[in-house]
Amino acid sequence: TYLNTMALGALAGHAERLRIHICRMSDPVRKVFDLVGISSVVGVHPDLQHALAALVREHRAPPAAAR
């Protein structure tokens, strides 16, 4: 898997708005995401089941403006 710095920047910039969730991330990719700070704005999950459960919880939660 390959992401250049431009793609990492775009991912970081739009992650919260797009509600990105990633599962089964390899250790080298995880280290890069941690280093760049992207793992704090995207959902990182060990497997698809956990990622889907997080999406369901997110969908059921009231919008941020209503909290």
Side-chain angles (χ1 to χ4, degrees):
T1 304
Y2 175 80
L3 283 175
N4 64 17
T5 54
M6 187 173 241
L8 285 172
L11 181 62
H14 298 284
E16 288 186 62
R17 181 178 60 83
L18 296 175
R19 298 180 182 182
I20 296 173
H21 290 264
I22 300 171
C23 63
R24 298 186 62 198
M25 188 183 296
S26 68
D27 286 337
V29 173
R30 175 66 181 244
K31 287 178 185 177
V32 171
F33 273 48
D34 288 344
L35 182 68
V36 176
I38 296 174
S39 58
S40 65
V41 293
V42 301
V44 178
H45 308 281
D47 54 39
L48 182 59
Q49 183 178 1
H50 284 91
L52 292 174
L55 284 170
V56 168
R57 284 191 306 274
E58 202 173 83
H59 181 72
R60 289 183 180 163
R67 291 184 198 164

